[in-house]
Amino acid sequence: MNDETGQMLADQLDRLLGALLDPNRPEDSPALESAFAELGLDLALVPEGQGGAGLGWRDLGPVFMTLGYHAAPGGLGERLIANALAARLGSVSDPAPALGFGALSVRDGRAWGSLTVPLSAGDRPVLAEGDGHLVLLPAGAGTSRPLHGVAREPGVALMLSGTRPLAIRPLDGPGPEALLAVLRAAQIAGALSRILGMTIEHGNTRQQFGRPIGKFQAVQHLVAELAAEAGAARAGVEFALRALDRGADWRAPAIAKIRASRAVGRGAAVAHEVHGAIGITGEHALHHLTRRLWQWRDEAGSEHAWSERLGNAVLTRGGAQVWADIVALGGG
């Protein structure tokens, strides 16, 4: 496929979300699930031989970023990834499994540990990674308690004690946490892009001392800083998506998530600094985006967690391999 394919899908999704979502209350959209189903994107990353569209990760990048741009609920991105992983197990199903990440171990054919499921699993199985294996856990396994993050989207903490998986196989590529990290990085990039546009517009319309605040050099510097953070997050995502299409391991998703998560702190702070108090009011869209940024920053591994893992991998391989690894990750 080519870049035009992904952009065409993203444009279609953008029109749909623009029509269905209230930007000031994006979580309230009962028609969104059926609209997603009509788009037929759920199997986009599944190989054609298993009934999917056989698209690549780079094709779906604009779709992931559009979901972030609109702060869209509904879990479309999670279902795309879950079906791609389920295809490795040969068990693509409807509905798609939920995705879990955390500390999971597999011993004697049973799963132990704790997982975070970003969206409530309901009666769906859960896909997770444990001890180098891709594990499909049965619906309702273990004990759970609800999680309520700053984004106000429901999640679940799942505790497992000797659960027998429905399916298990050695992991041959990035697992659920790494792929969810790419999705969250793309959503961050998309949300920062929208926040940048909102901040520029506010600077051009908000008057202070007889002229738009965007004319003041201090505000211009802030907007430039926000633009740099948004651009860096997007570049990291595009790098990871290209690497995944080449069969890269978890390190490319780690780089994307590190850079996107780092962009959240300063990017959100700048946006609220320029908007002032209006950005946190109930009728304004800004806080709906920044609250999701803060939650996405930590979900599927914060920049600190991925940095530590990446740093340990570099130290283990030794300094002589650093440049060769960088070149290989970049496709050289």
Side-chain angles (χ1 to χ4, degrees), residues 17 36 60-78 81 118-119 153 179-195 230 233-234 237 241 256-257 260-261 264 289-290 292-297 299-300:
L17 294 174
F36 281 162
L60 271 297
V63 169
F64 294 154
M65 284 186 267
T66 299
L67 290 172
Y69 184 91
H70 288 277
L76 174 60
E78 287 83 351
I81 291 173
L119 300 175
E153 293 181 337
L179 296 179
L180 185 59
V182 174
L183 172 62
R184 291 292 183 259
Q187 289 174 299
I188 287 170
L192 284 173
S193 173
R194 184 176 180 192
I195 287 171
R234 185 183 183 101
V237 170
L241 294 170
K257 188 59 163 60
S261 290
V264 168
L289 290 157
T290 52
R292 282 160 178 79
L293 285 177
W294 293 322
Q295 182 159 322
W296 294 337
R297 173 180 59 189
E299 280 187 344

Side-chain angles (χ1 to χ4, degrees), residues 128-146:
E129 176 184 352
D131 292 334
H133 288 78
L134 183 60
V135 181
L136 182 64
L137 301 164
T143 59
S144 63
R145 61 179 176 83

Side-chain angles (χ1 to χ4, degrees), residues 153-185:
E153 293 181 337
V156 171
L158 190 62
M159 299 296 297
L160 302 163
S161 182
T163 299
R164 188 175 294 279
L166 296 173
I168 181 171
R169 63 163 290 171
L171 194 61
D172 55 349
E177 185 168 10
L179 296 179
L180 185 59
V182 174
L183 172 62
R184 291 292 183 259

Side-chain angles (χ1 to χ4, degrees), residues 17 21 26-34 36-37 42 67 71-80 119-120 124 153-154 187 292:
L17 294 174
L21 290 183
E27 62 274 10
D28 295 340
S29 182
L32 197 57
E33 286 291 341
S34 59
F36 281 162
D42 280 25
L67 290 172
L76 174 60
E78 287 83 351
R79 291 201 300 276
L80 282 161
L119 300 175
S120 180
R124 295 178 295 156
E153 293 181 337
Q187 289 174 299
R292 282 160 178 79

